[in-house]
């Protein structure tokens, strides 16, 4: 298969009109091992609607209400600006309500312990503390260059950044924090993992074996919530420890929001990143357009080197952003895959000379962190959190064959497979009302 190089240059310089999320995993880091459910609600004191009981209503139980009130009081006493209080209190209300529903349902942590009000307060306190320090404070964390390696506390002493005094000074007292684990620990209690689904585990096993053999795998996925990286991690963990290891090495190719939004920054600090500016963001400021385009080119070059090294797994959202609810029907359709984005990854796989495999991945995670109904260009969107079932399906590999004149057929097949898997997940999760 041959594509014109203009496809890559256009996609890089213009951001392909998309926000891409990807992850890569060295084959050597994955040790061979054996093989291997929606509740939605309004904020406290409002109606909680679930698929099991559409008419039930409740307020926070006393322990969660007390923990919420104490947390809000602590927040109010430490806010650098009163304007932050409204959005952050809303976020706290959502999180405490979500975990109270989780606790009432009997959901547990991975070690079997119950989900508690104290846990909700602890996780929220840590997240807000990280957001204040690294997203707003004078020690705001800076994502240098086009890539970022996850900050995990350097447990094996192999990360050279932790020998840099200025780097340690920027991290301050949290220099040994595992930000990857912190992000998973924050969102996991809001996932109804007992009733969630991971379908296509045979294809998942095929992909893992290909990675172990030094070949590349690209998952072409839809994208539904800000917590999708944590959804991938937590669901992969339920399949088996080898898939948890895979998820822990994910490198996301992401838009500018994940490194500039104060609340997103702590979660991004725990992820491997390749940062790409979208076309809209590039065009917003003519004075910085050339610099942003140059960063996109550097990010693409780094990604190509990952492909050449082999054993690389990539999760990419070719639609360019999150799926959005149809406000008239309440249904949640998958946003169409972008042809140029898919072409770019196929071209890079071919250019690397390393066998590269493509799998559709369908994701259901919308209710976990419902996005705004309309795309917002800036940062600081209102955060919502729900205790809900989630799901992933890995579809059958789409053969990477065909020339430029038939490349649309590849994208159309991957898109269709993702849509069919999405509908299958929604049916299995009891969320048929969202099927377009």
């Amino acid at each position: 298969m041959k594509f014109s190089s203009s496809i890559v240059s256009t996609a890089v310089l213009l951001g392909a009109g998309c926000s891409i999320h990807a992850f890569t995993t060295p084959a050597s880091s994955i040790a061979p091992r054996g093989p291997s459910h929606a509740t939605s609600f309004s904020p406290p004191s409002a109606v909680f609607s679930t698929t099991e009981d559409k008419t039930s209503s409740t307020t926070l139980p006393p322990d969660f209400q007390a923990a919420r009130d104490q947390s809000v009081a602590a927040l109010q006493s430490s806010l650098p600006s009163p304007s932050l209080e409204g959005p952050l209190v809303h976020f706290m209300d959502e999180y405490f309500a979500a975990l109270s529903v989780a606790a009432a349902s009997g959901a547990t942590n991975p070690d079997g312990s119950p989900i508690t009000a104290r846990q909700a307060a602890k996780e929220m306190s840590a997240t807000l503390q990280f957001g204040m320090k690294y997203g707003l404070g004078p020690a705001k964390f800076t994502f240098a260059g086009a890539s970022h390696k996850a900050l995990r506390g350097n447990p094996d002493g192999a990360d050279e950044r932790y020998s840099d005094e200025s780097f340690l000074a920027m991290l301050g007292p949290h220099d040994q924090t595992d930000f990857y684990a912190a992000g998973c620990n924050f969102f996991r209690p809001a996932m109804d993992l007992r009733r969630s689904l991971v379908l296509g585990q045979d294809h998942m096993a095929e992909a893992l074996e290909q990675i172990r053999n030094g070949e590349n795998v690209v998952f072409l996925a839809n994208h539904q919530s800000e917590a999708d990286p944590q959804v991938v991690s937590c669901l992969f963990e339920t399949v088996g420890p080898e898939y948890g290891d895979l998820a822990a090495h994910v490198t996301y190719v992401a838009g500018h929001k994940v490194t500039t939004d104060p609340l997103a920054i702590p979660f991004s600090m725990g992820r491997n990143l390749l940062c790409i500016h979208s076309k809209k963001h590039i065009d917003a400021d003519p004075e910085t357009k050339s610099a942003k385009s140059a960063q996109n080119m550097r990010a693409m070059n780094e990604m190509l080197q990952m492909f050449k090294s082999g054993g690389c797994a990539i999760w990419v959202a070719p639609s360019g952003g999150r799926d959005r609810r149809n406000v008239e029907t309440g249904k949640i359709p998958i946003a169409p895959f972008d042809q140029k984005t898919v072409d770019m990854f196929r071209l890079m796989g071919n250019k690397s000379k390393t066998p590269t495999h493509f799998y559709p991945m369908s994701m259901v995670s919308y209710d976990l962190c419902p996005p705004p109904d309309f795309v917002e260009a800036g940062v600081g969107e209102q955060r919502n959190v729900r205790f809900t079932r989630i799901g992933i399906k890995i579809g059958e590999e789409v053969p990477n064959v065909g020339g430029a004149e038939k490349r649309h057929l590849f994208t159309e097949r991957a898109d269709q497979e993702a849509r069919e898997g999405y509908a299958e997940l929604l049916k299995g999760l009891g969320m048929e009302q969202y099927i377009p």
Side-chain angles (χ1 to χ4, degrees):
M1 177 182 62
K2 295 182 179 179
F3 293 143
S4 167
S5 61
S6 64
I7 293 175
V8 169
S9 61
T10 300
V12 171
L13 296 178
L14 300 183
C18 70
S19 113
I20 305 171
H21 298 271
F23 64 84
T24 63
T25 305
S28 60
S29 68
I30 306 171
R33 297 179 185 167
S36 132
H37 325 29
T39 303
S40 60
F41 62 89
S42 302
S45 304
V47 173
F48 284 63
S49 99
T50 72
T51 54
E52 290 79 16
D53 183 359
K54 296 288 187 183
T55 61
S56 63
S57 65
T58 185
T59 57
L60 285 178
D63 55 342
F64 276 88
Q65 187 68 53
R68 177 266 179 202
D69 292 346
Q70 291 173 1
S71 298
V72 169
L75 171 72
Q76 292 171 331
S77 67
S78 61
L79 279 176
S81 169
S83 64
L84 297 173
E85 181 176 340
L88 291 179
V89 169
H90 171 83
F91 182 45
M92 297 171 78
D93 285 343
E94 292 274 295
Y95 190 70
F96 278 94
L99 266 62
S100 74
V101 174
S105 77
T108 61
N109 295 301
D111 62 1
S113 62
I115 293 170
T116 66
R118 181 178 181 180
Q119 176 182 359
K122 176 184 176 183
E123 297 300 337
M124 178 56 70
S125 174
T127 295
L128 291 181
Q129 183 180 12
F130 294 152
M132 293 292 185
K133 178 174 177 58
Y134 300 117
L136 291 172
K140 182 175 181 178
F141 186 82
T142 302
F143 293 85
S147 63
H148 168 74
K149 182 179 178 182
L151 298 175
R152 306 210 58 183
N154 197 28
D156 56 7
D159 192 333
E160 295 181 355
R161 292 174 299 175
Y162 286 84
S163 62
D164 184 334
E165 292 299 327
S166 62
F167 181 78
L168 293 176
M170 179 168 58
L171 292 180
H174 308 297
D175 61 339
Q176 293 305 306
T177 295
D178 184 341
F179 287 93
Y180 172 88
C184 291
N185 291 341
F186 181 84
F187 281 112
R188 189 184 288 109
M191 303 177 192
D192 189 356
L193 293 174
R194 295 178 304 170
R195 298 187 295 165
S196 292
L197 293 175
V198 181
L199 304 180
Q201 293 185 28
D202 51 343
H203 303 311
M204 200 171 176
E206 292 170 4
L208 182 58
E209 186 63 24
Q210 289 162 343
I211 295 167
R212 287 173 172 164
N213 291 335
E215 300 177 354
N216 299 318
V217 167
V218 177
F219 294 111
L220 302 170
N222 66 305
H223 177 28
Q224 294 214 315
S225 86
E226 282 191 304
D228 277 351
Q230 287 74 33
V231 168
V232 170
S233 295
C234 294
L235 284 180
F236 274 33
E237 291 170 359
T238 68
V239 178
E242 64 271 36
Y243 296 101
D245 291 343
L246 169 61
H249 290 84
V250 169
T251 300
Y252 286 82
V253 182
H256 74 287
K257 285 187 180 181
V258 303
T259 60
T260 56
D261 186 290
L263 269 181
I265 284 175
F267 296 102
S268 299
M269 289 168 66
R271 295 282 162 173
N272 301 321
L273 299 175
L274 283 172
C275 301
I276 295 181
H277 297 281
S278 68
K279 182 179 186 299
K280 180 182 294 185
H281 184 54
I282 287 177
D283 292 340
D285 182 4
E287 293 185 1
T288 61
K289 183 173 183 177
S290 60
K292 293 172 183 174
S293 297
Q295 177 176 315
N296 279 5
M297 184 66 76
R298 290 193 299 272
M300 291 297 98
N301 286 336
E302 291 190 33
M303 185 182 293
L304 179 58
Q305 293 307 312
M306 295 177 185
F307 273 98
K308 288 181 177 180
S309 296
C312 171
I314 295 188
W315 184 89
V316 54
S319 64
R322 288 168 288 177
D323 302 332
R324 304 284 172 164
R325 178 175 68 104
N326 184 314
V327 295
E328 295 182 355
T329 66
K331 298 183 183 298
I332 306 172
I334 287 182
F337 285 2
D338 177 71
Q339 176 76 61
K340 290 182 179 179
T341 300
V342 176
D343 288 348
M344 179 174 65
F345 279 86
R346 293 181 68 196
L347 176 61
M348 285 195 165
N350 291 336
K351 189 175 181 180
S352 73
K353 306 300 182 184
T354 303
T356 301
H357 308 271
F358 293 82
Y359 291 85
M361 177 189 282
S362 307
M363 293 194 68
V364 172
S365 62
Y366 185 94
D367 278 347
L368 180 62
C369 296
D373 288 327
F374 304 98
V375 177
E376 299 177 358
V379 298
E381 68 182 49
Q382 178 173 283
R383 261 62 182 211
N384 305 300
V385 185
R386 307 286 188 267
F387 175 66
T388 183
R389 297 189 284 273
I390 53 178
I392 284 178
K393 180 180 179 180
I394 309 299
E396 183 178 0
E397 179 180 354
V398 180
N400 187 18
V401 295
E405 70 285 354
K406 294 183 178 180
R407 64 178 183 265
H408 65 285
L409 299 177
F410 180 96
T411 301
E412 289 169 3
R413 176 174 170 181
D415 184 282
Q416 184 60 32
E417 291 272 354
R419 292 176 188 279
E420 292 175 358
Y422 178 63
E424 182 181 355
L425 283 169
L426 289 175
K427 290 177 182 177
L429 293 167
M431 304 165 79
E432 293 92 338
Q433 73 274 19
Y434 291 150
I435 299 176

